Amino acid sequence: MTQSADRLTSPAKRNGKSALATLASNHYVLTALSAIAFVALWQIVSMNVPPIILPSPAKVAAAFVELTASGELIRATGQTVWPFAVGLSIAFVIGTSLGLVLGIFRPAARILDPYIFIFWSIPNIAWLPLFIAWFGVGQLTLIVFVFVSAVFPQLLTVEAGAKEADSFLVEVARSLGGTKSEILHIVVLPSALPYIFAGLRIAVGRALVGIIVGQLLIVATGIGYMFQFYGETLSLAKYFAPLIVIAALAVALNRAVNWAEHVLIPWKPRAFT
Amino acid sequence: MPELEFVNVRKSYKSPTGENLLALADFSLKVDGGRFVSVVGPSGCGKTTLLRMAAGLVPWDGGEIRLDGDQLTGPSPKMSMVFQAIGLMPWKSVQSNVALGIQLQAHRRNLTAQETDLVGATLAMVGLKGFEHYYPYQLSGGMQQRVGLARALVRQPEILLMDEPFGALDAQTRAVLQDELLSLWGRVKSTVLFITHDLDEAIYLSDLVVIMGRRPGRIKQVLEVKLPHPRYSYDARAEAGFAHLRSIAWQSIKEEL
C-alpha cells in the first residue's frame, strides 16, 4: 500500500515536509477537521435562516438525545433494520446463485434474461400497491419490496461476472483434467467473486431506498415513518435524527462490504489505495 | 518408455465465411519415449492445433492419436501441458497453483502429506523455494512460467506438451529457462513435444526437429540433432553442427513463408 502511495508522490513532496503538512496529511486529523468545518458551516447557515428551514446543530443533537432516550428512535431502527436485513439477505442468496446459474448455463439465460430485464426495468415503486393487495399492510410487504429492489442488481451483476470467466483459464483447468464441477469451483466462482461484491454494493443501496420508501408511503413504521411524521409536522430538529441513523447504517454497511471484499479477494493488485 | 503417436490425423476448421479450412491433412508423427521433439513451422501451419489435440482440448476429424498404443479420447492424466500464456489462477498462491496439477489429476481436493512434499520439492526444483505464498501478480513473467512448469511437472507426466512456453519472455530469461528445462528434462526423463517458431530454440533443446510446411499442415523435413547432452554444459550454439543444422532448417522454412 505504501509502495503505490510512494509511486504517486513526487520525491520533492516527500522530502522537506513541514510539521503542519505532516499533520494535515494524517487521515484521522483530516477527517476530524472536515467534520468540524461541516458543523461550523451548518451553524452559520442555520443562524441566518428561519429554524423551520434548517435547525441548528445543537437543536438537532438535543432532539437526537431526546428521541433516543424515549426509545422511539431505537424502536424505529429495529423496525427498519429487521425487514431490510431479511429482504436483502434473501435477495443476496437468490440473486447470487441464480446469477451464477444463468452466467454458466447460457441456454437458460437466453430464455430467462428478457423477463429479468423487463422486471428490472419496471420502477420498483410501481410494485408497491400490488404487493399490498397481495401481502397486506405489514412486514411481509416490506420484506418482499426490499427483496425485489435488491435482487435484480445482484442477479444481473453476478450473471455478467460468471459469463466473463476467462475461457483460457477454463481451458487450462480442462487440460489438467478438471471436470465441469471442478472448473466451476476453481475458475468460475473465484472470477465471479468481485462481481458478487459489486452487486452487493448496489443491492444494499437499493434495499435501503426500498425499506424507507415502503415505510414512508405505506406501512407507517420505523425510520421511514419518522421521516413522514416529522416532515409533515414540520418538526425539523427531530426529522434529522432518523436521517443520521440511516446515514450511519449506510456508511457502516458500505464499510462492511469493502472490508469483506478486501479480506476475501487478496489476489488483486490495487491501482489506487 | 511412453510414446505419443499421430496416425493420419485430419483436422479442419470452419472459416467465418463457412468454408472448410483444412488445418492438418493426414498428419503422422511418432514421438518416441524419452525424446525431446520440437515442431517448428510458419505461423498458421497447424503446429499449435497438433498440441492442443494431443492435450485433448480440441477434437479432430479423422485418424488416431495414441498414447502408449491406446487411443486418446480426452485430456490424459499421463500428460501435462505448458502454455505460452501460462494460465495461472490469479486467486491461488504459487503453492496452490502447483497443487492444482495434482488435484485435477486425482480429482481430490486434499493432498496427501506425500503429495504436499512433492509440491514443495517441485517448487524447489524450478527455483521457487520461498515464493510458495506469493500470488501470481507478484511474480515476474519468468517466475510465473516456472510456476507453470512446476504445475506440469508435479503431475510426474509421461509426456510433457509445451506450446511456445518461452515465447512471451525476454531473451535473457528465455535462455535461462531453456537451460533449466534441459536440466529438468535430464532428471524427470519424460517425453517432450515442444512447439516453437524459434529455430535456435528448437535445435538447442531437441533430439529431433520436425519442420512443418504451410497449411494444410504436413511434415516437410525431420532433422536429428546429434549434439551431446547436457547442452548447457558447453556452448552448444557455437558448435559447427548447430550452425549447419540451422542453415538447413532455415532454408527449408524459408520456402514455406
Side-chain angles (χ1 to χ4, degrees), chain A residues 168-169 171-179 182 185-187 190-191 266-269, chain B residues 52 57 75 83 85 87-92 100 103-105 107 109 135 137 151 155:
Chain A
F168 173 56
L169 291 183
E171 178 164 275
V172 170
R174 216 151 58 81
S175 87
L176 293 168
T179 61
E182 282 171 330
H185 189 89
I186 285 159
V187 182
S191 57
W267 64 77
K268 281 188 134 181
Chain B
R52 287 164 50 83
L57 292 175
F83 299 83
L88 301 179
M89 305 296 151
W91 38 85
K92 286 186 177 289
L100 207 55
Q103 288 166 331
L104 295 182
Q105 186 180 40
H107 301 294
R109 197 81 77 72
Y135 282 103
Y137 82 91
R151 180 179 63 190
R155 294 154 66 85

Side-chain angles (χ1 to χ4, degrees), chain A residues 25-257:
Chain A
S25 71
N26 182 303
H27 178 72
Y28 296 103
V29 173
L30 269 183
T31 307
L33 283 177
S34 88
I36 291 167
F38 177 78
V39 174
L41 187 68
W42 179 0
Q43 178 68 39
I44 292 165
V45 174
S46 71
M47 284 177 348
N48 292 291
V49 296
I52 197 80
I53 302 292
L54 184 68
S56 72
K59 280 215 179 94
V60 168
F64 189 91
V65 170
E66 185 197 324
L67 287 172
T68 308
S70 74
E72 183 183 345
L73 191 58
I74 292 162
R75 198 168 49 249
T77 305
Q79 285 167 346
T80 296
V81 165
W82 168 239
F84 166 80
V86 173
L88 179 62
S89 306
I90 301 174
F92 177 74
V93 171
I94 292 185
T96 303
S97 32
L98 197 58
L100 284 172
V101 169
L102 293 183
I104 295 159
F105 300 111
R106 296 310 291 157
R110 273 187 279 277
I111 295 167
L112 287 180
D113 272 352
Y115 297 98
I116 292 167
F117 190 72
I118 289 168
F119 282 116
W120 157 246
S121 305
I122 295 171
N124 29 351
I125 192 76
W127 294 109
L128 208 41
L130 185 68
F131 290 164
I132 289 161
W134 284 351
F135 307 114
V137 179
Q139 293 293 77
L140 186 57
T141 291
L142 287 177
I143 291 173
V144 173
F145 189 57
V146 168
F147 168 79
V148 168
S149 304
V151 74
F152 291 110
Q154 186 68 30
L155 193 161
L156 289 168
T157 316
V158 173
E159 180 184 344
K163 211 165 59 178
E164 291 300 306
D166 189 343
S167 62
F168 173 56
L169 291 183
V170 170
E171 178 164 275
V172 170
R174 216 151 58 81
S175 87
L176 293 168
T179 61
K180 275 219 160 77
S181 72
E182 282 171 330
I183 289 170
L184 184 71
H185 189 89
I186 285 159
V187 182
V188 181
L189 278 183
S191 57
L193 203 50
Y195 292 83
I196 292 175
F197 282 107
L200 183 56
R201 219 170 265 123
I202 308 170
V204 163
R206 307 257 313 186
L208 266 181
V209 173
I211 190 68
I212 296 305
V213 164
Q215 291 186 329
L216 195 153
L217 288 182
I218 309 293
V219 188
T221 53
I223 299 282
Y225 181 65
M226 286 181 83
F227 288 136
Q228 203 238 344
F229 183 79
Y230 293 117
E232 254 174 23
T233 56
L234 294 177
S235 332
L236 281 206
K238 285 182 173 168
Y239 186 92
F240 276 78
L243 208 57
I244 291 167
V245 170
I246 279 298
L249 185 63
V251 170
L253 283 169
N254 235 309
R255 285 285 169 90
V257 174

